[in-house]
Amino acid sequence: GGRFVHFDSFGSTVNPRAALIYQPLPGTTLKFIYGSAFRAPSPYELDYSDGGVTQVANPQLKPEKITTEEVVVEQQMGQHLSGSVSGYYNDIKNLIQQTTIAAGQPNAGLIQLQNLGTANATGMELALKAVWAGGWEGRAGYSLTEAQDGTTDARLVNSPEHLVKLDLTAPLCKEKVFATLECLAVSERKTLAGQTDPGCATVNFTLFS
């Protein structure tokens, strides 16, 4: 498959996607996946200017673009339990970053958003899912990701290395009312100021029908 989009503000972008899926054994599935996607510049990123006091607009901004390659192994383990292991590599180009225009150029010394950055992420994910009769459902997932600046190899800002997700869904009224308890935990993250934010966890409780 693929996607073609044309924007009046910056032109066209083409993003193909493909997957090869193979089942070597009953209950075992292999997936080889390639895809690309984009993020269009926001109106603020394209047009914001304070009249040349500190910042000028950049109508020449292009979309950020990511290509992904992933290998997945899925395994059914009995009637109620299934699991998967995946490894992936993401390559990001044209990251929109704030910079100061260099001397000798128009509007030198002013701030402008430009397509300057590149980044890459290599990681793996483990997942387990259990489904029981009556509507009970449980999931557990863990991901390990190394996200780096494409130029300096420095760790990316706000990119935790470890992420754990657990959730359990229980039927309160058969096939009508369900309750879900979810826990999401992330490891420490680098901040814009060069410091480190400690790891944290979020717990959500949802009631739905």
Side-chain angles (χ1 to χ4, degrees), residues 1 6 13 15 36 48 55 62 67 69 72 100-101 117 119 130 135 138-141 143 149 171-172:
H6 178 78
T13 176
N15 296 277
S36 67
Y48 177 75
Q55 184 167 341
K62 300 297 181 183
T67 57
E69 301 168 12
V72 185
T100 302
I101 300 174
R139 298 172 189 263
S143 69
D149 184 286
L172 301 185

Side-chain angles (χ1 to χ4, degrees), residues 105-134:
Q105 299 184 21
N107 300 309
L110 297 182
I111 294 171
Q112 188 179 55
L113 292 166
Q114 298 181 5
N115 294 108
L116 295 175
T118 63
N120 58 74
T122 305
M124 62 170 293
E125 294 183 354
L126 307 174
L128 282 174
K129 178 181 178 181
V131 179
W132 297 277

Side-chain angles (χ1 to χ4, degrees), residues 46-113:
L46 279 170
D47 301 325
Y48 177 75
S49 171
D50 59 4
V53 178
T54 63
Q55 184 167 341
V56 291
N58 185 1
Q60 305 303 316
L61 276 180
K62 300 297 181 183
E64 297 179 334
K65 193 159 187 175
I66 181 172
T67 57
T68 64
E69 301 168 12
E70 185 173 11
V71 178
V72 185
V73 181
E74 297 178 347
Q75 180 66 49
Q76 186 69 34
M77 294 172 280
Q79 183 179 356
H80 304 290
L81 188 64
S82 62
S84 66
V85 180
S86 63
Y88 61 86
Y89 176 77
N90 298 336
D91 186 32
I92 308 168
K93 290 181 170 58
N94 291 339
L95 279 174
I96 297 172
Q97 295 183 334
Q98 181 176 290
T99 188
T100 302
I101 300 174
Q105 299 184 21
N107 300 309
L110 297 182
I111 294 171
Q112 188 179 55
L113 292 166

